[in-house]
Amino acid sequence: MTIPHAPTRAELIALRQRYRLERERRVQPDGAGQYRATDAEFSYYAADPYTEVAEREPVHDTVDVAVIGGGFGGILAGARMRQEGVERIRIIDKGGDFGGTWYWNRYPGIHCDIESHVYLPMLDETGYVPEWKYSPGEEIRRHAVRIARKFNLYEDALFSTSVTSLTWDEASETWIVATDRGDVFRATYVVTATGTLSEPKLPGIPGIEDFKGHTFHTSRWDYAYTGGTPDGGMTGLAHKRVGIVGTGATGIQVVPMLAEDAGHVYVFQRTPSTVDVRANRRTTADDVGAGRDGWARERRENYLRIVSGEPVEEDLVADQWTRSAGLLEKLLPSFRRHGDRTAFEAAYEIADAAKMNELRARVEETVTDPDTAAKLKPWYRYACKRPTFSDKYYPAFNRANVTLVDTADTHGIERITEHGVVVAGTSYELDCLIFATGFSAGTSGISSGNLPVHGRGGTQLLHARAQQGPRTLHGFTSNGFPNLIQMGSLHNASSVNFTHILDEQAVHAAALVAAAEAKSALVEPSRASEDAWIAALAEGAPDHEWFHAECTPGYYNREGRGRPNGPTAYPHGAVAFHELLQRWREGAVTEILQTRTSPQPR
């Protein structure tokens, strides 16, 4: 088979050398330490610009299930619990409404990069058909609200509220939940669904606190300053000099919108993203076969199988994710690792190089200035950074009011002054500085220590993990922490479409609660069960460390420091993991149930 843009052996050797050189230009000695959290003196970057905090009395009551997090993980947990007959469900979120990342992120141009018909969960259950192939952020946020209303999740919800501690009370066998609003209530079960991209981060650039112009993080877009909406029309920027730091998935969407409305835009880039074809369009029910029962489940299962490397008869989504699915092997464990490893790696590198050649050619074909085009070309392997998609990003650099400032040779921005940004000795004066610097990937209140969880005997979950490493059964439950169900990526499955993963997790969490309620028991695995699961994760775990060690720095490889040590995800892919969970629920779920010693509070 002929591969377009396929490299010769000599070209492959040259590519490896170029990739290594480009990586070294961008590695910073402090790794992830180059970023700082939006707390303490920078807490205003994380303030809620959308909802005014309403005064209320603290709550002191008892609920069946407390769910921490009101994004899709928490909403799906609540919905699936409701389907199992759970009555009092309380969802707590620091945002002013449901939506999670789609509540906070409302920046101009915001869309999902996964097809909406597989990304938006519970389409079959709500009867909704997305209007676009790739939904804008507001459509997604409204769908989150739609699910919450359908399953009556607003009734006991607490918004603009952060949980400050979880404490297991041995006497009553309930969790005591405390919040920053003075709430202290009890819950028979606690589900943590705090997300993997929930803590915005800022670059640790010297002088960041000195800037006298206007500044904000893209996850807290300040429309009071810019004017307009996520659709554009930012009249407040008409004569402003605007700088944006960050060219990842967010920056790719924001830059074209700023280019249309701002007086001048300076795009500060450390590493260019891969930017593939988007081809967004309006869709109808007929386009996706939405007249059939179960159409959405069928479509998302088809998508999951493709990106996980499983065979399918037809590609129902047919976009750049599915067409490039073979290159996701270094991100998503799959059956592709079977067989002759040497032959696989050789073929994989050729396909990888061909795709990257295609993407670099797209830059050259679109951007008219040769110097700018050269700086926008991505020199790394496809799975080193999350792919992005846009038909407007590259054309934005053909405008006279857009300047690309590449910072690779200075290892980022040198410093920020009262009036602007300094790179390579050149000062760029700005009226507004916007940080599209993303989130602390994988960081939650629990992992950061901001939400201490104390289980049996007062043992703190974070301390236990520091001493003996993460210990779970299937990623959901841990010995010593009864009735605590954790949702997320640890010891679980992974996929580019994380809402699908979250829904499967929500189904499993609800099944655990239903089984415990039926037996009047506690949900808690034995140490032996944890040992067996950790061993299963290690058996057949992919060796991707060498690949990511050679990648350009980013959150996939901890800013060039390599992947975390030890198994973190199920090694045989999401499809196999979901099948494993279903078999376990049908046959072995009682193994996790422990006898109660106290009556359940009601």
Side-chain angles (χ1 to χ4, degrees), residues 565-595:
N565 293 325
T568 59
Y570 185 67
H572 305 297
V575 174
F577 181 69
H578 295 161
E579 291 172 351
L580 179 152
L581 286 184
Q582 183 173 355
R583 290 194 303 270
W584 185 86
R585 290 195 297 266
E586 292 171 353
V589 66
T590 54
E591 295 176 4
I592 203 173
L593 304 180
Q594 309 293 333
T595 303

PDB file of all heavy atoms in Angstrom, residues 565-595:
ATOM      1  N   ASN A 565       5.641   6.573  36.709  1.00  0.00           N
ATOM      2  CA  ASN A 565       6.061   5.196  36.902  1.00  0.00           C
ATOM      3  C   ASN A 565       4.893   4.354  37.391  1.00  0.00           C
ATOM      4  O   ASN A 565       4.035   4.818  38.137  1.00  0.00           O
ATOM      5  CB  ASN A 565       7.195   5.123  37.922  1.00  0.00           C
ATOM      6  CG  ASN A 565       8.465   5.773  37.407  1.00  0.00           C
ATOM      7  OD1 ASN A 565       8.751   5.699  36.223  1.00  0.00           O
ATOM      8  ND2 ASN A 565       9.216   6.411  38.290  1.00  0.00           N
ATOM      9  N   GLY A 566       4.873   3.103  36.991  1.00  0.00           N
ATOM     10  CA  GLY A 566       3.836   2.192  37.451  1.00  0.00           C
ATOM     11  C   GLY A 566       2.614   2.222  36.562  1.00  0.00           C
ATOM     12  O   GLY A 566       2.362   3.198  35.850  1.00  0.00           O
ATOM     13  N   PRO A 567       1.827   1.143  36.580  1.00  0.00           N
ATOM     14  CA  PRO A 567       0.628   1.076  35.735  1.00  0.00           C
ATOM     15  C   PRO A 567      -0.452   2.031  36.232  1.00  0.00           C
ATOM     16  O   PRO A 567      -0.739   2.094  37.417  1.00  0.00           O
ATOM     17  CB  PRO A 567       0.182  -0.389  35.893  1.00  0.00           C
ATOM     18  CG  PRO A 567       0.737  -0.819  37.218  1.00  0.00           C
ATOM     19  CD  PRO A 567       2.024  -0.074  37.389  1.00  0.00           C
ATOM     20  N   THR A 568      -1.041   2.787  35.314  1.00  0.00           N
ATOM     21  CA  THR A 568      -2.082   3.735  35.696  1.00  0.00           C
ATOM     22  C   THR A 568      -3.407   3.471  35.005  1.00  0.00           C
ATOM     23  O   THR A 568      -4.421   4.019  35.415  1.00  0.00           O
ATOM     24  CB  THR A 568      -1.640   5.173  35.378  1.00  0.00           C
ATOM     25  OG1 THR A 568      -1.372   5.274  33.974  1.00  0.00           O
ATOM     26  CG2 THR A 568      -0.382   5.554  36.154  1.00  0.00           C
ATOM     27  N   ALA A 569      -3.411   2.678  33.945  1.00  0.00           N
ATOM     28  CA  ALA A 569      -4.646   2.414  33.205  1.00  0.00           C
ATOM     29  C   ALA A 569      -4.698   0.938  32.822  1.00  0.00           C
ATOM     30  O   ALA A 569      -3.678   0.256  32.744  1.00  0.00           O
ATOM     31  CB  ALA A 569      -4.728   3.286  31.955  1.00  0.00           C
ATOM     32  N   TYR A 570      -5.914   0.458  32.548  1.00  0.00           N
ATOM     33  CA  TYR A 570      -6.085  -0.921  32.126  1.00  0.00           C
ATOM     34  C   TYR A 570      -5.365  -1.125  30.796  1.00  0.00           C
ATOM     35  O   TYR A 570      -5.593  -0.375  29.841  1.00  0.00           O
ATOM     36  CB  TYR A 570      -7.572  -1.239  31.986  1.00  0.00           C
ATOM     37  CG  TYR A 570      -7.854  -2.688  31.668  1.00  0.00           C
ATOM     38  CD1 TYR A 570      -7.581  -3.678  32.602  1.00  0.00           C
ATOM     39  CD2 TYR A 570      -8.371  -3.053  30.432  1.00  0.00           C
ATOM     40  CE1 TYR A 570      -7.829  -5.018  32.313  1.00  0.00           C
ATOM     41  CE2 TYR A 570      -8.626  -4.377  30.127  1.00  0.00           C
ATOM     42  CZ  TYR A 570      -8.355  -5.361  31.072  1.00  0.00           C
ATOM     43  OH  TYR A 570      -8.588  -6.677  30.781  1.00  0.00           O
ATOM     44  N   PRO A 571      -4.478  -2.109  30.696  1.00  0.00           N
ATOM     45  CA  PRO A 571      -3.569  -2.185  29.554  1.00  0.00           C
ATOM     46  C   PRO A 571      -4.162  -2.723  28.259  1.00  0.00           C
ATOM     47  O   PRO A 571      -3.499  -2.687  27.228  1.00  0.00           O
ATOM     48  CB  PRO A 571      -2.463  -3.123  30.058  1.00  0.00           C
ATOM     49  CG  PRO A 571      -3.135  -3.999  31.055  1.00  0.00           C
ATOM     50  CD  PRO A 571      -4.157  -3.125  31.724  1.00  0.00           C
ATOM     51  N   HIS A 572      -5.410  -3.224  28.283  1.00  0.00           N
ATOM     52  CA  HIS A 572      -5.956  -3.871  27.093  1.00  0.00           C
ATOM     53  C   HIS A 572      -7.058  -3.064  26.412  1.00  0.00           C
ATOM     54  O   HIS A 572      -7.783  -3.582  25.572  1.00  0.00           O
ATOM     55  CB  HIS A 572      -6.453  -5.269  27.447  1.00  0.00           C
ATOM     56  CG  HIS A 572      -5.401  -6.115  28.098  1.00  0.00           C
ATOM     57  ND1 HIS A 572      -4.247  -6.476  27.461  1.00  0.00           N
ATOM     58  CD2 HIS A 572      -5.320  -6.625  29.355  1.00  0.00           C
ATOM     59  CE1 HIS A 572      -3.493  -7.196  28.294  1.00  0.00           C
ATOM     60  NE2 HIS A 572      -4.108  -7.289  29.436  1.00  0.00           N
ATOM     61  N   GLY A 573      -7.181  -1.790  26.785  1.00  0.00           N
ATOM     62  CA  GLY A 573      -8.117  -0.915  26.095  1.00  0.00           C
ATOM     63  C   GLY A 573      -9.472  -0.792  26.762  1.00  0.00           C
ATOM     64  O   GLY A 573      -9.878  -1.620  27.594  1.00  0.00           O
ATOM     65  N   ALA A 574     -10.184   0.263  26.383  1.00  0.00           N
ATOM     66  CA  ALA A 574     -11.463   0.594  27.017  1.00  0.00           C
ATOM     67  C   ALA A 574     -12.546  -0.432  26.715  1.00  0.00           C
ATOM     68  O   ALA A 574     -13.375  -0.744  27.577  1.00  0.00           O
ATOM     69  CB  ALA A 574     -11.916   1.979  26.576  1.00  0.00           C
ATOM     70  N   VAL A 575     -12.584  -0.951  25.493  1.00  0.00           N
ATOM     71  CA  VAL A 575     -13.623  -1.917  25.132  1.00  0.00           C
ATOM     72  C   VAL A 575     -13.515  -3.149  26.029  1.00  0.00           C
ATOM     73  O   VAL A 575     -14.502  -3.616  26.607  1.00  0.00           O
ATOM     74  CB  VAL A 575     -13.523  -2.311  23.651  1.00  0.00           C
ATOM     75  CG1 VAL A 575     -14.514  -3.415  23.326  1.00  0.00           C
ATOM     76  CG2 VAL A 575     -13.770  -1.094  22.760  1.00  0.00           C
ATOM     77  N   ALA A 576     -12.301  -3.675  26.167  1.00  0.00           N
ATOM     78  CA  ALA A 576     -12.084  -4.852  27.013  1.00  0.00           C
ATOM     79  C   ALA A 576     -12.376  -4.546  28.476  1.00  0.00           C
ATOM     80  O   ALA A 576     -12.924  -5.386  29.203  1.00  0.00           O
ATOM     81  CB  ALA A 576     -10.648  -5.354  26.847  1.00  0.00           C
ATOM     82  N   PHE A 577     -12.038  -3.347  28.911  1.00  0.00           N
ATOM     83  CA  PHE A 577     -12.268  -2.983  30.312  1.00  0.00           C
ATOM     84  C   PHE A 577     -13.760  -2.918  30.620  1.00  0.00           C
ATOM     85  O   PHE A 577     -14.215  -3.402  31.665  1.00  0.00           O
ATOM     86  CB  PHE A 577     -11.613  -1.638  30.621  1.00  0.00           C
ATOM     87  CG  PHE A 577     -11.789  -1.194  32.043  1.00  0.00           C
ATOM     88  CD1 PHE A 577     -11.159  -1.860  33.078  1.00  0.00           C
ATOM     89  CD2 PHE A 577     -12.594  -0.104  32.349  1.00  0.00           C
ATOM     90  CE1 PHE A 577     -11.322  -1.453  34.400  1.00  0.00           C
ATOM     91  CE2 PHE A 577     -12.765   0.312  33.657  1.00  0.00           C
ATOM     92  CZ  PHE A 577     -12.125  -0.364  34.691  1.00  0.00           C
ATOM     93  N   HIS A 578     -14.535  -2.322  29.736  1.00  0.00           N
ATOM     94  CA  HIS A 578     -15.978  -2.227  29.970  1.00  0.00           C
ATOM     95  C   HIS A 578     -16.625  -3.613  29.989  1.00  0.00           C
ATOM     96  O   HIS A 578     -17.540  -3.874  30.781  1.00  0.00           O
ATOM     97  CB  HIS A 578     -16.627  -1.347  28.900  1.00  0.00           C
ATOM     98  CG  HIS A 578     -16.167   0.078  28.962  1.00  0.00           C
ATOM     99  ND1 HIS A 578     -16.297   0.941  27.905  1.00  0.00           N
ATOM    100  CD2 HIS A 578     -15.568   0.781  29.957  1.00  0.00           C
ATOM    101  CE1 HIS A 578     -15.802   2.119  28.253  1.00  0.00           C
ATOM    102  NE2 HIS A 578     -15.358   2.037  29.480  1.00  0.00           N
ATOM    103  N   GLU A 579     -16.131  -4.502  29.144  1.00  0.00           N
ATOM    104  CA  GLU A 579     -16.645  -5.878  29.151  1.00  0.00           C
ATOM    105  C   GLU A 579     -16.267  -6.579  30.454  1.00  0.00           C
ATOM    106  O   GLU A 579     -17.072  -7.327  31.029  1.00  0.00           O
ATOM    107  CB  GLU A 579     -16.085  -6.635  27.949  1.00  0.00           C
ATOM    108  CG  GLU A 579     -16.644  -6.136  26.616  1.00  0.00           C
ATOM    109  CD  GLU A 579     -15.939  -6.757  25.415  1.00  0.00           C
ATOM    110  OE1 GLU A 579     -14.892  -7.451  25.622  1.00  0.00           O
ATOM    111  OE2 GLU A 579     -16.407  -6.546  24.274  1.00  0.00           O
ATOM    112  N   LEU A 580     -15.061  -6.323  30.936  1.00  0.00           N
ATOM    113  CA  LEU A 580     -14.627  -6.902  32.218  1.00  0.00           C
ATOM    114  C   LEU A 580     -15.527  -6.439  33.358  1.00  0.00           C
ATOM    115  O   LEU A 580     -15.948  -7.243  34.207  1.00  0.00           O
ATOM    116  CB  LEU A 580     -13.177  -6.506  32.479  1.00  0.00           C
ATOM    117  CG  LEU A 580     -12.506  -6.971  33.778  1.00  0.00           C
ATOM    118  CD1 LEU A 580     -10.994  -7.109  33.552  1.00  0.00           C
ATOM    119  CD2 LEU A 580     -12.745  -5.993  34.930  1.00  0.00           C
ATOM    120  N   LEU A 581     -15.824  -5.134  33.403  1.00  0.00           N
ATOM    121  CA  LEU A 581     -16.679  -4.603  34.466  1.00  0.00           C
ATOM    122  C   LEU A 581     -18.072  -5.224  34.427  1.00  0.00           C
ATOM    123  O   LEU A 581     -18.641  -5.557  35.475  1.00  0.00           O
ATOM    124  CB  LEU A 581     -16.793  -3.083  34.343  1.00  0.00           C
ATOM    125  CG  LEU A 581     -15.591  -2.237  34.747  1.00  0.00           C
ATOM    126  CD1 LEU A 581     -15.951  -0.765  34.642  1.00  0.00           C
ATOM    127  CD2 LEU A 581     -15.098  -2.571  36.143  1.00  0.00           C
ATOM    128  N   GLN A 582     -18.614  -5.368  33.230  1.00  0.00           N
ATOM    129  CA  GLN A 582     -19.954  -5.940  33.114  1.00  0.00           C
ATOM    130  C   GLN A 582     -19.978  -7.377  33.628  1.00  0.00           C
ATOM    131  O   GLN A 582     -20.886  -7.765  34.368  1.00  0.00           O
ATOM    132  CB  GLN A 582     -20.446  -5.884  31.673  1.00  0.00           C
ATOM    133  CG  GLN A 582     -21.874  -6.393  31.502  1.00  0.00           C
ATOM    134  CD  GLN A 582     -22.419  -6.178  30.108  1.00  0.00           C
ATOM    135  OE1 GLN A 582     -21.770  -5.564  29.271  1.00  0.00           O
ATOM    136  NE2 GLN A 582     -23.598  -6.687  29.846  1.00  0.00           N
ATOM    137  N   ARG A 583     -18.975  -8.173  33.260  1.00  0.00           N
ATOM    138  CA  ARG A 583     -18.907  -9.561  33.751  1.00  0.00           C
ATOM    139  C   ARG A 583     -18.761  -9.586  35.264  1.00  0.00           C
ATOM    140  O   ARG A 583     -19.388 -10.405  35.947  1.00  0.00           O
ATOM    141  CB  ARG A 583     -17.724 -10.286  33.097  1.00  0.00           C
ATOM    142  CG  ARG A 583     -17.891 -10.566  31.609  1.00  0.00           C
ATOM    143  CD  ARG A 583     -16.847 -11.570  31.121  1.00  0.00           C
ATOM    144  NE  ARG A 583     -15.481 -11.132  31.377  1.00  0.00           N
ATOM    145  CZ  ARG A 583     -14.754 -10.397  30.534  1.00  0.00           C
ATOM    146  NH1 ARG A 583     -15.287 -10.008  29.369  1.00  0.00           N
ATOM    147  NH2 ARG A 583     -13.515 -10.057  30.835  1.00  0.00           N
ATOM    148  N   TRP A 584     -17.961  -8.679  35.789  1.00  0.00           N
ATOM    149  CA  TRP A 584     -17.741  -8.624  37.237  1.00  0.00           C
ATOM    150  C   TRP A 584     -19.034  -8.260  37.964  1.00  0.00           C
ATOM    151  O   TRP A 584     -19.352  -8.846  39.000  1.00  0.00           O
ATOM    152  CB  TRP A 584     -16.640  -7.604  37.542  1.00  0.00           C
ATOM    153  CG  TRP A 584     -16.243  -7.539  38.986  1.00  0.00           C
ATOM    154  CD1 TRP A 584     -15.323  -8.303  39.639  1.00  0.00           C
ATOM    155  CD2 TRP A 584     -16.755  -6.623  39.961  1.00  0.00           C
ATOM    156  NE1 TRP A 584     -15.239  -7.938  40.949  1.00  0.00           N
ATOM    157  CE2 TRP A 584     -16.110  -6.899  41.177  1.00  0.00           C
ATOM    158  CE3 TRP A 584     -17.707  -5.608  39.926  1.00  0.00           C
ATOM    159  CZ2 TRP A 584     -16.374  -6.195  42.344  1.00  0.00           C
ATOM    160  CZ3 TRP A 584     -17.973  -4.899  41.078  1.00  0.00           C
ATOM    161  CH2 TRP A 584     -17.311  -5.197  42.276  1.00  0.00           C
ATOM    162  N   ARG A 585     -19.777  -7.304  37.432  1.00  0.00           N
ATOM    163  CA  ARG A 585     -21.049  -6.919  38.069  1.00  0.00           C
ATOM    164  C   ARG A 585     -22.036  -8.072  38.068  1.00  0.00           C
ATOM    165  O   ARG A 585     -22.820  -8.244  39.001  1.00  0.00           O
ATOM    166  CB  ARG A 585     -21.657  -5.711  37.348  1.00  0.00           C
ATOM    167  CG  ARG A 585     -20.901  -4.421  37.552  1.00  0.00           C
ATOM    168  CD  ARG A 585     -21.722  -3.218  37.128  1.00  0.00           C
ATOM    169  NE  ARG A 585     -22.059  -3.197  35.715  1.00  0.00           N
ATOM    170  CZ  ARG A 585     -21.368  -2.568  34.783  1.00  0.00           C
ATOM    171  NH1 ARG A 585     -20.247  -1.932  35.096  1.00  0.00           N
ATOM    172  NH2 ARG A 585     -21.767  -2.562  33.520  1.00  0.00           N
ATOM    173  N   GLU A 586     -21.990  -8.877  37.014  1.00  0.00           N
ATOM    174  CA  GLU A 586     -22.940  -9.985  36.896  1.00  0.00           C
ATOM    175  C   GLU A 586     -22.577 -11.167  37.783  1.00  0.00           C
ATOM    176  O   GLU A 586     -23.455 -11.960  38.131  1.00  0.00           O
ATOM    177  CB  GLU A 586     -23.005 -10.439  35.433  1.00  0.00           C
ATOM    178  CG  GLU A 586     -23.637  -9.409  34.503  1.00  0.00           C
ATOM    179  CD  GLU A 586     -23.494  -9.780  33.034  1.00  0.00           C
ATOM    180  OE1 GLU A 586     -22.780 -10.778  32.748  1.00  0.00           O
ATOM    181  OE2 GLU A 586     -24.076  -9.090  32.181  1.00  0.00           O
ATOM    182  N   GLY A 587     -21.284 -11.275  38.175  1.00  0.00           N
ATOM    183  CA  GLY A 587     -20.901 -12.469  38.912  1.00  0.00           C
ATOM    184  C   GLY A 587     -20.168 -12.269  40.212  1.00  0.00           C
ATOM    185  O   GLY A 587     -20.326 -13.065  41.152  1.00  0.00           O
ATOM    186  N   ALA A 588     -19.359 -11.208  40.326  1.00  0.00           N
ATOM    187  CA  ALA A 588     -18.473 -11.115  41.485  1.00  0.00           C
ATOM    188  C   ALA A 588     -18.687  -9.875  42.336  1.00  0.00           C
ATOM    189  O   ALA A 588     -17.910  -9.628  43.253  1.00  0.00           O
ATOM    190  CB  ALA A 588     -17.017 -11.143  40.995  1.00  0.00           C
ATOM    191  N   VAL A 589     -19.740  -9.120  42.077  1.00  0.00           N
ATOM    192  CA  VAL A 589     -19.914  -7.857  42.784  1.00  0.00           C
ATOM    193  C   VAL A 589     -20.044  -8.046  44.294  1.00  0.00           C
ATOM    194  O   VAL A 589     -19.632  -7.188  45.085  1.00  0.00           O
ATOM    195  CB  VAL A 589     -21.140  -7.089  42.225  1.00  0.00           C
ATOM    196  CG1 VAL A 589     -22.426  -7.833  42.523  1.00  0.00           C
ATOM    197  CG2 VAL A 589     -21.188  -5.665  42.778  1.00  0.00           C
ATOM    198  N   THR A 590     -20.568  -9.178  44.725  1.00  0.00           N
ATOM    199  CA  THR A 590     -20.755  -9.398  46.171  1.00  0.00           C
ATOM    200  C   THR A 590     -19.417  -9.481  46.908  1.00  0.00           C
ATOM    201  O   THR A 590     -19.370  -9.299  48.123  1.00  0.00           O
ATOM    202  CB  THR A 590     -21.551 -10.689  46.428  1.00  0.00           C
ATOM    203  OG1 THR A 590     -20.905 -11.782  45.759  1.00  0.00           O
ATOM    204  CG2 THR A 590     -22.976 -10.562  45.925  1.00  0.00           C
ATOM    205  N   GLU A 591     -18.321  -9.727  46.175  1.00  0.00           N
ATOM    206  CA  GLU A 591     -17.012  -9.820  46.824  1.00  0.00           C
ATOM    207  C   GLU A 591     -16.583  -8.492  47.445  1.00  0.00           C
ATOM    208  O   GLU A 591     -15.723  -8.468  48.331  1.00  0.00           O
ATOM    209  CB  GLU A 591     -15.960 -10.264  45.811  1.00  0.00           C
ATOM    210  CG  GLU A 591     -16.183 -11.677  45.268  1.00  0.00           C
ATOM    211  CD  GLU A 591     -15.175 -12.037  44.196  1.00  0.00           C
ATOM    212  OE1 GLU A 591     -14.264 -11.209  43.941  1.00  0.00           O
ATOM    213  OE2 GLU A 591     -15.297 -13.124  43.610  1.00  0.00           O
ATOM    214  N   ILE A 592     -17.164  -7.412  46.972  1.00  0.00           N
ATOM    215  CA  ILE A 592     -16.764  -6.095  47.452  1.00  0.00           C
ATOM    216  C   ILE A 592     -17.641  -5.613  48.609  1.00  0.00           C
ATOM    217  O   ILE A 592     -17.410  -4.552  49.181  1.00  0.00           O
ATOM    218  CB  ILE A 592     -16.800  -5.069  46.288  1.00  0.00           C
ATOM    219  CG1 ILE A 592     -15.889  -3.875  46.577  1.00  0.00           C
ATOM    220  CG2 ILE A 592     -18.211  -4.593  46.004  1.00  0.00           C
ATOM    221  CD1 ILE A 592     -15.759  -2.923  45.419  1.00  0.00           C
ATOM    222  N   LEU A 593     -18.662  -6.370  48.951  1.00  0.00           N
ATOM    223  CA  LEU A 593     -19.610  -5.952  49.978  1.00  0.00           C
ATOM    224  C   LEU A 593     -19.184  -6.464  51.355  1.00  0.00           C
ATOM    225  O   LEU A 593     -18.874  -7.635  51.529  1.00  0.00           O
ATOM    226  CB  LEU A 593     -21.013  -6.462  49.638  1.00  0.00           C
ATOM    227  CG  LEU A 593     -21.559  -6.040  48.267  1.00  0.00           C
ATOM    228  CD1 LEU A 593     -22.941  -6.613  48.049  1.00  0.00           C
ATOM    229  CD2 LEU A 593     -21.576  -4.516  48.135  1.00  0.00           C
ATOM    230  N   GLN A 594     -19.170  -5.548  52.307  1.00  0.00           N
ATOM    231  CA  GLN A 594     -18.788  -5.875  53.690  1.00  0.00           C
ATOM    232  C   GLN A 594     -19.993  -5.662  54.605  1.00  0.00           C
ATOM    233  O   GLN A 594     -20.811  -4.769  54.387  1.00  0.00           O
ATOM    234  CB  GLN A 594     -17.624  -4.989  54.153  1.00  0.00           C
ATOM    235  CG  GLN A 594     -16.445  -4.968  53.210  1.00  0.00           C
ATOM    236  CD  GLN A 594     -15.737  -6.304  53.121  1.00  0.00           C
ATOM    237  OE1 GLN A 594     -15.765  -7.099  54.066  1.00  0.00           O
ATOM    238  NE2 GLN A 594     -15.109  -6.576  51.989  1.00  0.00           N
ATOM    239  N   THR A 595     -20.088  -6.456  55.638  1.00  0.00           N
ATOM    240  CA  THR A 595     -21.234  -6.393  56.554  1.00  0.00           C
ATOM    241  C   THR A 595     -21.241  -5.086  57.324  1.00  0.00           C
ATOM    242  O   THR A 595     -20.212  -4.646  57.857  1.00  0.00           O
ATOM    243  CB  THR A 595     -21.203  -7.567  57.547  1.00  0.00           C
ATOM    244  OG1 THR A 595     -21.179  -8.787  56.802  1.00  0.00           O
ATOM    245  CG2 THR A 595     -22.417  -7.542  58.460  1.00  0.00           C
TER     246      THR A 595
END
